[in-house]
Amino acid sequence: MTGRRTWRRTWPRTWRAGAAAALALLAGGCWSTRPGVPSLEPSTPLGALPLYSDAGAIARLGPQASADRPFAPMRFGQDDVLDVLALSGGGSHGAFGAGVLKGWSESGTRPSFDVVTGISTGALTAPFAFLGAAHDDELERLYTTSGDDAIFESRGLAGLFGDGLRDTAPLRRRVTEAITPAMLDEIAAEHRKGRRLYVGTTDLDTGEAVVWDLGDIAQGADPARRRRFTDVLVASASVPGLFNPVYLDDGRGGAARMHVDGGVKAPLLLRDFMVDGRYRSKAAYFIVNGCICLRNATEPVAPSTLAISRKSIEELMRSSLYRALAGAMGMARKAGARPALSFAPDAVKLPSPLSFDPAEMRALFEVGRAQGRNWRRWPAEPPRMQRFG
């Protein structure tokens, strides 16, 4: 009898406490708010490329006209050679691409790329790849010493009511530390020589892929150039739903739009104006951070909402990447560029791209490093598969 009375007294109190806690969470701001309601009229944010219906016309402007258009490649007359590097997304698999670059530098044959592009984890790699071998060691540290806690932190129950299950504040801090004012000045100097550094995000409000000219941002007079540069990089790597989005304004006082992982719209970034033009020789190098295979798992998916959602996102983006890669390599060949492709071998056991384990990333880095040293053996087209996996 005593136990029954205790249960009756305790249960309502516990229930009331739980209800009060839930209401406090909601009232305390678990529901995410955004910084103003943006106009969805077409606009070009500062640092982004204008949208043109005929991108090929940009390249036909020639070197003189290009000087007035900072989004067009300008490196004419220097060896009359064009080298383009495109880095894919892939989360923690970016350790592979970092290793490729390190091994390529060690071979003594890595080009000084005229155009470097990156999406998602490739966007995080792109500034280091753009500046060359002098930044290889820093890139290696970033991709072999970063655990989950260096990329994101859990939001707990609040994540269910917010704009992402995980908060990428740790990643933002890490990127801000890496992208120093001196590094921005280096990028700006190379931009003025005519080299180009592009990364992509997805404007989720309008559904558009946005291409950002990071060299243009780096050379800008805006005192907040470092923050904008960092915002774009973090936005490009923010997997929607799992990570919180980044709100980017247009730089002219307009309300900010919601930007997420560039891989949602363009898992690999290459536009025809980046490879067009008359050169003695042209090469387009593609680094896929992950495998190109029909199957990419050795264990079944756990029966939980988070595991199912994460795996589904991975598979959607993997299939989208394969299609984008085939199109980009075809575009390069059509423009007269020699394509070359690096990707992780099927025999390599890949962890989840959304899991950041330093030991696994170190192993993947070394796989990429071996490929970078033997870049002349890279295939000129992706593996042929009966269907896109």
Side-chain angles (χ1 to χ4, degrees), residues 22-149:
L23 288 173
L25 283 170
L26 296 179
C30 279
W31 295 103
S32 290
T33 58
R34 58 181 302 153
V37 179
S39 166
L40 299 188
E41 293 298 318
S43 67
T44 302
L46 293 180
L49 307 192
L51 297 176
Y52 283 81
S53 58
D54 181 12
I58 296 172
R60 293 194 293 273
L61 293 170
Q64 189 63 41
S66 306
D68 299 323
R69 297 178 180 269
F71 50 87
M74 292 166 48
R75 199 174 182 185
F76 292 87
Q78 185 168 337
D79 301 326
D80 200 23
V81 172
L82 181 71
D83 290 306
V84 179
L85 172 67
L87 300 157
S88 83
S92 62
H93 297 174
F96 172 80
V100 170
L101 292 167
K102 182 68 175 281
W104 202 347
S105 295
E106 291 170 342
S107 75
T109 58
R110 176 175 157 185
S112 176
F113 303 107
D114 302 283
V115 179
V116 175
T117 78
I119 291 289
S120 195
T121 195
L124 300 177
T125 304
F128 302 92
F130 182 73
L131 291 178
H135 290 266
D136 283 352
D137 290 345
E138 187 175 3
L139 186 61
E140 179 179 356
R141 284 193 299 272
L142 287 171
Y143 274 98
T144 59
T145 64
S146 300
D148 286 348
D149 57 354

Side-chain angles (χ1 to χ4, degrees), residues 128-184:
F128 302 92
F130 182 73
L131 291 178
H135 290 266
D136 283 352
D137 290 345
E138 187 175 3
L139 186 61
E140 179 179 356
R141 284 193 299 272
L142 287 171
Y143 274 98
T144 59
T145 64
S146 300
D148 286 348
D149 57 354
I151 307 299
F152 57 79
E153 55 192 22
S154 174
R155 287 178 159 180
L157 182 59
L160 297 175
F161 301 99
D163 55 7
L165 294 173
R166 304 284 187 267
D167 189 335
T168 53
L171 173 62
R172 177 177 294 278
R173 288 192 293 268
R174 203 162 178 83
V175 172
T176 301
E177 291 170 1
I179 306 298
T180 62
M183 188 175 184
L184 287 178

Side-chain angles (χ1 to χ4, degrees), residues 346-386:
D346 288 0
V348 175
K349 182 180 179 180
L350 294 174
S352 165
L354 300 176
S355 173
F356 297 83
D357 178 272
E360 292 176 332
M361 293 169 72
R362 164 57 72 180
L364 192 53
F365 177 90
E366 294 301 334
V367 171
R369 191 175 192 173
Q371 283 213 10
R373 290 169 175 164
N374 296 286
W375 68 272
R376 286 188 174 87
R377 300 180 63 182
W378 293 4
E381 61 180 30
R384 296 186 180 276
M385 296 186 288
Q386 293 300 310

